[in-house]
Amino acid sequence: MIRVKDFTFNPFSENTYLLYDETGECIIIDPGCYEQSEVEELAGFIEAKNLKPVHNINTHAHIDHVLGVAALKRKYNIPFSLHQLDEPLLKAVKTYASNYGFYKFEEPELDSYLKEGEIFRFGNSSLEIIFVPGHAPGHIAFVSHDDRFVIGGDVLFRLSIGRTDLPGGNHATLLESIRNKIFTLPEDYTVYAGHMDATTVGFEKKNNPFFR
């Protein structure tokens, strides 16, 4: 059984997720920890639970989701992976990070690509990778069918959707991704979003104003 621990980091109030199971292996998704105190908060939980980080995977590469990648790669000596189409977004972060006050941003080395249809495994657990572009060109989400949840990044929020006015964004594409990839999942699946509170597939199908 996968346990999901969420942390809210950086001025964008970004949700970073730590997933772990009974083996003690854990993965970090979208680490937004920038300040040392935030890195220590995440590390403190890992230490308290006696967990072993084995991978950092990202839904996409906007600045608020990658601020902590380099520090965690260095601390735990773990690989970093995301979708190939978001590599240009990752490379671009260093060009504008200082505009947001992130003067200490370190660009992390990308170790491998994640692809739709692949099964990402850690411990005794598995996550299906689905391709959900629109907010970012290489945006993906991670689905646990055994534990009935989605780590969705900035695609679908409670009563809202991800913004599409950033480079590589496309409103129609985002709506199509949600309809065809998220809303086709069972309605009881929890959606852990990149910002704000979690929701469910069924609640958003019935109540999200972008789909009425």
Side-chain angles (χ1 to χ4, degrees):
M1 177 180 180
I2 299 177
R3 298 185 181 275
V4 180
K5 171 63 178 177
D6 65 293
F7 303 84
T8 301
F9 291 140
N10 69 57
F12 293 100
S13 296
E14 182 267 351
N15 290 332
T16 294
Y17 292 98
L18 183 74
L19 276 55
Y20 61 101
D21 67 12
E22 62 277 1
T23 68
E25 287 195 356
C26 68
I27 59 172
I28 303 157
I29 302 180
D30 292 353
C33 41
Y34 176 73
E35 299 294 345
Q36 185 60 31
S37 60
E38 295 176 330
V39 175
E40 290 174 357
E41 181 183 350
L42 178 61
F45 183 87
I46 291 171
E47 182 177 351
K49 293 290 186 179
N50 195 29
L51 302 177
K52 178 186 178 182
V54 294
H55 216 116
N56 181 143
I57 58 177
N58 266 54
T59 60
H60 65 298
H62 285 149
I63 186 170
D64 50 329
H65 292 254
V66 299
L67 288 169
V69 175
L72 296 177
K73 276 176 63 70
R74 183 167 55 251
K75 183 175 183 63
Y76 296 112
N77 191 29
I78 55 175
F80 165 50
S81 305
L82 81 169
H83 195 282
Q84 185 172 7
L85 290 179
D86 252 34
E87 187 173 10
L89 290 188
L90 177 68
K91 297 293 186 183
V93 173
K94 64 179 180 291
T95 68
Y96 66 83
S98 61
N99 296 339
Y100 291 95
F102 299 112
Y103 299 104
K104 300 179 293 182
F105 172 74
E106 298 179 65
E107 180 180 315
E109 180 182 353
L110 183 59
D111 297 291
S112 62
Y113 299 125
L114 300 172
K115 300 177 182 179
E116 181 174 45
E118 290 182 341
I119 303 299
F120 183 89
R121 304 183 190 279
F122 69 98
N124 293 331
S125 303
S126 61
L127 300 168
E128 180 189 1
I129 298 172
I130 59 174
F131 183 51
V132 283
H135 174 70
H139 203 301
I140 53 179
F142 306 103
V143 183
S144 170
H145 294 290
D146 289 338
D147 296 297
R148 309 184 75 78
F149 69 78
V150 185
I151 306 293
D154 290 357
V155 172
L156 180 67
F157 300 123
R158 183 176 175 84
L159 298 176
S160 189
I161 61 173
R163 61 188 295 179
T164 55
D165 58 340
L166 299 172
N170 184 284
H171 185 75
T173 300
L174 179 62
L175 295 181
E176 182 179 1
S177 291
I178 295 171
R179 288 193 184 99
N180 296 336
K181 298 292 182 66
I182 304 296
F183 282 176
T184 53
L185 295 169
E187 294 193 354
D188 68 324
Y189 275 36
T190 298
V191 179
Y192 293 105
H195 302 269
M196 302 183 290
D197 295 333
T199 185
T200 66
V201 171
F203 179 85
E204 298 309 318
K205 287 174 69 174
K206 296 179 177 67
N207 299 287
N208 194 295
F210 289 90
F211 295 95
R212 287 178 180 169

